Amino acid sequence: MFRAIADILRQIGGAIATVVTLPFRVLARLFGGASRSGRTHRA
């Protein structure tokens, strides 16, 4: 039973990870992935 719960949590964690990282990948691609300028937060 614990193994089934662990598998479910692992699948949910993987889905959340992909959903969370997708916007950051899009932003990185938009900004050219240039992190050399440091953290410049412009709206």
Side-chain angles (χ1 to χ4, degrees):
M1 180 175 174
F2 287 113
R3 186 172 294 177
I5 295 175
D7 288 338
I8 292 173
L9 287 177
R10 196 174 299 127
Q11 288 180 356
I12 293 175
I16 292 175
T18 51
V19 170
V20 168
T21 54
L22 266 176
F24 291 109
R25 289 182 188 176
V26 173
L27 284 176
R29 191 171 287 185
L30 282 176
F31 289 107
S35 60
R36 55 176 180 253
S37 58
R39 282 198 170 190
T40 55
H41 188 61
R42 291 185 179 179

